[in-house]
Amino acid sequence: MSDAWIVGGSLRDELLGRPVRDVDVAVAGDPAQAARALAADVRGPVFQLSEAFGAWRVIDRRADRVYDFAPLQGDTIEADLAQRDFTINAMARPVDLEALSAEPSAADLVDPLGGRADLESGTLRVLGPDAYQQDPLRTLRLARFVAELGFAADPETERLTSAAAPRATEAAGERVFGELRRLVIADGALAALELADRLGVLGAVLPELTALHGVEQSDYHHLDVYDHTLEVLAQQIEIEGRLDELFGPDADRLRAVLAEPLADELTRGQALRFGALVHDIGKPVTRDVRADGRITFMGHDAVGEQMVGELSRRLRTSERFARFLGALTRQHLVLGFLVHERPLDRAQVYRYLRRTSPVEVEVTLLSCADRLATQGRRGEEATAVHLELARELMTAALDWREQGPPRVPVRGDELADELGIEPGPELGRLLGELEEAAYVGEAATREQAIAVARRLLA
């Protein structure tokens, strides 16, 4: 059997005691032979990943693990490791292909570049400028490792990363999004974004976000738009642990919604973190100063929705994810305006839910993070009333999510016959108003619905 080594992130995570589901195996010889042998042993599927690079994959369903086999990149394992990205990923340990799950041993470690020492000190050290030359996306991966591992880059790595940052856009959009996705949902997302911004990587891959720097706001805000956006993300992350405090008996229902898969390997709650990052990206192009000196951003919600669509196309996200982010951006102001109309009647609640659907739950939560991050003039008072209204609307939003919009108790064709009108826009308008009447309780039966429709038509 060919010589083989466990390499890369799988070995790094083994040594850190982190869970390992994806195992990378470098093979001196034929990866196909090694992969087929393991597949026969674990009785799992085996298939070729890349004809160009000779990589193969085996899925071990019993152990819930995926094994990727690839040929050595070079004549020796040391030559292979020298072509990797960071020292902590440039280690290997020889492995018996019949015992891939064996515990790692420091004595067996192949570590020509000091990865073990950097692992123990929490240091991210790039393997020279050639590492970024081979793959410019590694500059963003540095920030992702900060987010996931809590490590810090050494000064020379920061210098090399800053120099290579503009080339990050050479990577395919879906690869950029893959790194951003893992960064944003990690525990250290805020520290990673700070590093990526400081080194110029964020400006390369998300220029819409760094364009928020220095955009001053009204005295209702204490931060410029960029710092406010990062504070919204910080509050969103904190809210994830405060659901019981903020939403009481609705917390469990809300947790269940946020845990639902949405798209692009993200749950609704994880995707909401992206919503926090992009909700104000329309502000720079809509900023205006009125004659009285007040700063406004009229229409930044609509402009932001368009920009989110363009950003999502560039990153090649799914259409479902793009629509989700666009809806959050477009509707993030609605609850704040309703604060001035309290107490809301049931018709106003219906209009809020109809307008913000299908993100009625998530945008209610996002508005709380947005409000908590806004601590300018009368900040504490405004936050208290906003959170109070959000609690009320969250109950209605969760009910709406579970039950759907109210059912009008009469069919459209029946209503047209009763009223003597033709199908068309007028009938559609009446049905829409009857849905609101049903939610309010004024059209619970067929007879009530027809009577309301006659009144509306008159």
Side-chain angles (χ1 to χ4, degrees), residues 249-254 257 260 346 349-350 352-354 357 360-362 364 390-407 439:
D250 287 322
D252 285 340
R253 287 202 297 164
L254 179 52
V257 168
E260 292 174 1
R346 195 159 171 82
V349 173
Y350 168 83
Y352 172 78
L353 297 174
R354 173 50 74 190
S357 180
E360 66 284 346
V361 172
E362 295 86 358
T364 300
R391 275 191 291 270
E392 298 172 12
L393 289 174
M394 184 61 80
T395 301
L398 289 166
D399 290 343
W400 181 282
R401 182 66 59 88
E402 291 172 2
Q403 301 163 15
R407 189 183 67 84
Y439 188 85

Side-chain angles (χ1 to χ4, degrees), residues 242-300:
R242 297 179 61 195
L243 298 182
D244 290 292
E245 171 194 347
L246 295 174
F247 298 101
D250 287 322
D252 285 340
R253 287 202 297 164
L254 179 52
R255 256 189 292 270
V257 168
L258 297 178
E260 292 174 1
L262 176 73
D264 297 342
E265 301 178 44
L266 293 166
T267 65
R268 290 181 173 275
Q270 290 169 335
L272 195 49
R273 291 194 182 189
F274 275 95
L277 277 182
V278 303
H279 76 286
D280 271 349
I281 61 173
K283 280 191 169 180
V285 297
T286 57
R287 188 179 187 273
D288 191 22
V289 182
R290 299 193 323 193
D292 61 3
R294 182 175 178 183
I295 296 170
T296 66
F297 301 97
M298 299 297 291
H300 78 272

Side-chain angles (χ1 to χ4, degrees), residues 160-455:
L160 292 172
T161 304
S162 183
R167 293 188 54 232
T169 56
E170 296 175 15
E174 61 268 26
R175 292 188 64 221
V176 174
F177 179 54
E179 293 290 342
L180 285 172
R181 179 178 60 218
R182 291 183 61 175
L183 185 160
V184 170
I185 68 174
D187 291 341
L190 293 166
L193 289 168
E194 186 278 327
L195 177 78
D197 181 38
R198 179 163 53 83
L199 300 184
V201 181
L202 192 62
V205 298
L206 280 181
E208 299 90 345
L209 190 56
T210 54
L212 305 180
H213 273 299
V215 180
E216 294 183 3
Q217 306 194 81
S218 70
D219 58 2
Y220 287 99
H221 289 264
H222 65 301
L223 300 169
D224 73 5
V225 182
Y226 180 83
D227 289 333
H228 167 74
T229 295
L230 269 292
E231 182 60 22
V232 174
L233 176 59
Q235 292 292 342
Q236 185 63 50
I237 293 171
E238 185 175 335
I239 283 174
E240 292 169 8
R242 297 179 61 195
L243 298 182
D244 290 292
E245 171 194 347
L246 295 174
F247 298 101
D250 287 322
D252 285 340
R253 287 202 297 164
L254 179 52
R255 256 189 292 270
V257 168
L258 297 178
E260 292 174 1
L262 176 73
D264 297 342
E265 301 178 44
L266 293 166
T267 65
R268 290 181 173 275
Q270 290 169 335
L272 195 49
R273 291 194 182 189
F274 275 95
L277 277 182
V278 303
H279 76 286
D280 271 349
I281 61 173
K283 280 191 169 180
V285 297
T286 57
R287 188 179 187 273
D288 191 22
V289 182
R290 299 193 323 193
D292 61 3
R294 182 175 178 183
I295 296 170
T296 66
F297 301 97
M298 299 297 291
H300 78 272
D301 47 352
V303 171
E305 181 183 29
Q306 295 174 357
M307 293 175 66
V308 164
E310 295 165 4
L311 183 157
S312 298
R313 284 188 290 275
R314 187 179 75 241
L315 296 180
R316 299 182 185 177
T317 73
S318 69
E319 183 62 30
R320 181 177 175 85
F321 179 73
R323 288 197 305 268
F324 180 83
L325 285 192
L328 289 176
T329 303
R330 183 60 183 263
Q331 307 299 344
H332 76 275
L333 298 172
V334 179
L335 194 151
F337 288 127
L338 284 178
V339 165
H340 307 291
E341 300 181 25
R342 295 178 311 134
L344 304 187
D345 60 31
R346 195 159 171 82
Q348 288 172 299
V349 173
Y350 168 83
R351 291 169 200 151
Y352 172 78
L353 297 174
R354 173 50 74 190
R355 178 171 177 177
T356 58
S357 180
V359 295
E360 66 284 346
V361 172
E362 295 86 358
V363 81
T364 300
L365 193 61
L366 177 60
S367 78
C368 295
D370 196 9
R371 181 61 254 176
L372 286 164
T374 307
Q375 294 300 324
R377 182 158 62 94
R378 298 176 62 189
E380 290 186 11
E381 175 187 347
T383 298
V385 296
H386 186 107
L387 294 180
E388 181 181 344
L389 180 58
R391 275 191 291 270
E392 298 172 12
L393 289 174
M394 184 61 80
T395 301
L398 289 166
D399 290 343
W400 181 282
R401 182 66 59 88
E402 291 172 2
Q403 301 163 15
R407 189 183 67 84
V408 176
V410 59
R411 294 204 319 262
D413 58 336
E414 294 177 345
L415 186 63
D417 288 343
E418 289 284 349
L419 300 179
I421 62 176
E422 294 294 325
E426 180 72 4
L427 179 61
R429 181 188 68 81
L430 287 172
L431 288 170
E433 297 208 36
L434 283 179
E435 186 178 284
E436 179 178 322
Y439 188 85
V440 171
E442 296 175 352
T445 67
R446 184 179 185 278
E447 292 71 23
Q448 288 176 335
I450 293 171
V452 170
R454 290 189 191 281
R455 189 166 68 248

